[in-house]
Amino acid sequence: MEISGTVSAILNQKYTELWSIGPTDTVYSAIKLMSEKGVGALPVLENAKVVGMISERDYTRKVMLRGKSSKDTPVREIMTEALVSAHPDDSVGECMETMTERRVRHLPVMQDGKLVGIISIGDLVKWIISAQGATIDQLTKYVFGE
């Protein structure tokens, strides 16, 4: 099944404010911000440049399970530096494939070297479910002549 739609269409439906954290901030600060904003990951910015991502998964695997203190550990120590990103023109299908293959749940969306948004696997699933619902409605109207 072909999945239609682009990253920019998803971003247009999302809340546009982006939250970020710095590499020298504590992991505790990052987890607190994620909790307050209801997000599962944050881009790590240094001098307005994306240098990594930190996620709840990073916290559980690199701090909690290793017995480190989130109040003493800087974000830089646990962030993911090898970023996988998307472009606003990328298709939903391409992003699903990338996220599945690379085993990531969040993609920073970059355009002209700047962060313009973040999409999650949940955003993609929500988009696909909505698109399938619209297709079913159209087919139902066609079949029943509404």
Side-chain angles (χ1 to χ4, degrees):
M1 177 179 105
E2 173 107 11
I3 302 169
S4 64
T6 62
V7 170
S8 62
I10 292 175
L11 290 178
N12 288 337
Q13 290 186 343
K14 286 184 71 166
Y15 186 68
T16 56
E17 189 169 355
L18 286 173
W19 298 282
S20 64
I21 197 85
T24 59
D25 291 321
T26 65
V27 171
Y28 178 84
S29 297
I31 295 298
K32 183 177 179 200
L33 182 59
M34 283 186 248
S35 176
E36 289 170 355
K37 302 304 180 184
V39 297
L42 294 169
V44 182
L45 301 181
E46 188 170 46
N47 300 321
K49 182 181 177 214
V50 179
V51 294
M53 290 282 289
I54 182 170
S55 68
E56 295 165 332
R57 182 186 279 184
D58 290 323
Y59 168 72
T60 56
R61 293 180 178 181
K62 299 174 186 173
V63 175
M64 193 174 89
L65 290 177
R66 293 183 183 170
K68 292 184 176 186
S69 167
S70 61
K71 290 187 177 183
D72 297 327
T73 304
V75 167
R76 175 176 272 120
E77 279 188 29
I78 71 159
M79 70 183 187
T80 301
E81 293 181 68
L83 289 182
V84 180
S85 64
H87 185 275
D89 295 334
D90 289 348
S91 74
V92 170
E94 289 171 320
C95 290
M96 283 293 277
E97 188 174 314
T98 297
M99 291 174 125
T100 301
E101 288 176 0
R102 301 294 295 269
R103 299 182 51 88
V104 296
R105 296 179 182 176
H106 300 87
L107 287 177
V109 181
M110 307 294 289
Q111 185 171 24
D112 300 324
K114 294 187 180 199
L115 179 69
V116 295
I118 295 179
I119 58 169
S120 69
I121 192 77
D123 296 328
L124 297 177
V125 169
K126 182 179 174 183
W127 177 269
I128 291 167
I129 290 170
S130 176
Q132 288 175 340
T135 300
I136 290 168
D137 287 345
Q138 290 173 350
L139 289 172
T140 301
K141 288 176 182 175
Y142 176 77
V143 169
F144 293 106
E146 292 180 22

